[in-house]
Amino acid sequence: FFKTENQQRELIMFTLENLDTPKGHIEGKSLHVTDASGELAYADDKKQKPVKIHFLGPKSREGKAATLQFMKAYSKTQELRDSDEDKSFEALDAIEDSICNRISAVATGWENVNNSDGDVEFSKEAIYNACLRSQDLRDQCYKFIQNEEAFIQA
């Protein structure tokens, strides 16, 4: 059944402790950003500098706090959405703001993010503003931080 003795030993040595789920959430993972065409984004033509954003997982302390803040903000928009049309637009803006706040709360850094002036230094404010300006970036980041499987360490 096993091709080598090593494969058999590896299977026997597996324990539940080897599947350290909380560790991945606490240490975080990186999202390799894609461009508008869905291709992985790079900061150079040789594709040696991937554009990445680092996040703590949703089960980390920061992730849980960000989720609670988001839920509070989201519930406050319920009243706005149920009122007149002008308030509904206001609610949509508030939801986008809450999503950007949630993203920035768990973002810990980035690599190879630049603009026409060169590299952009990471800050919570910088990631918040980038997500607020770019719906595509906001969607990628938000989907990534909600995906608990992305943070599991096998």
Side-chain angles (χ1 to χ4, degrees):
F1 181 72
F2 298 105
K3 292 182 181 178
T4 67
E5 192 176 314
N6 220 14
Q7 286 178 329
Q8 184 177 8
R9 200 173 314 120
E10 285 177 19
L11 182 65
I12 292 170
M13 293 178 68
F14 176 81
T15 64
L16 290 177
E17 289 79 18
N18 291 348
L19 190 63
D20 193 352
T21 305
K23 186 177 181 180
H25 288 269
I26 294 166
E27 290 179 356
K29 294 288 182 177
S30 297
L31 165 67
H32 189 159
V33 177
T34 58
D35 61 21
S37 65
E39 298 291 322
L40 293 175
Y42 292 88
D44 64 335
D45 292 334
K46 295 179 183 177
K47 296 187 176 188
Q48 305 246 332
K49 295 181 175 182
V51 177
K52 292 184 175 185
I53 304 175
H54 310 291
F55 294 102
L56 298 173
K59 298 288 185 188
S60 67
R61 181 181 181 95
E62 294 84 349
K64 289 176 183 178
T67 300
L68 286 173
Q69 288 298 324
F70 175 78
M71 290 170 64
K72 287 178 187 176
Y74 189 80
S75 66
K76 288 180 184 176
T77 64
Q78 193 70 27
E79 294 173 20
L80 293 173
R81 287 190 310 232
D82 293 339
S83 61
D84 64 36
E85 189 174 313
D86 289 338
K87 296 285 185 182
S88 293
F89 289 125
E90 207 176 298
L92 290 174
D93 289 342
I95 290 169
E96 284 182 0
D97 181 65
S98 296
I99 290 170
C100 293
N101 278 324
R102 185 174 179 194
I103 292 167
S104 66
V106 294
T108 60
W110 57 27
E111 295 175 41
N112 305 312
V113 174
N114 53 46
N115 60 21
S116 58
D117 297 328
D119 285 343
V120 177
E121 186 175 336
F122 173 80
S123 70
K124 299 287 188 179
E125 182 180 5
I127 185 76
Y128 172 87
N129 288 329
C131 287
L132 198 58
R133 282 191 310 269
S134 170
Q135 181 177 350
D136 183 53
L137 180 63
R138 180 175 56 243
D139 291 347
Q140 286 182 57
C141 292
Y142 192 59
K143 286 176 186 172
F144 184 77
I145 65 171
Q146 290 188 104
N147 181 5
E148 290 186 21
E149 290 180 19
F151 295 90
I152 293 176
Q153 301 239 0

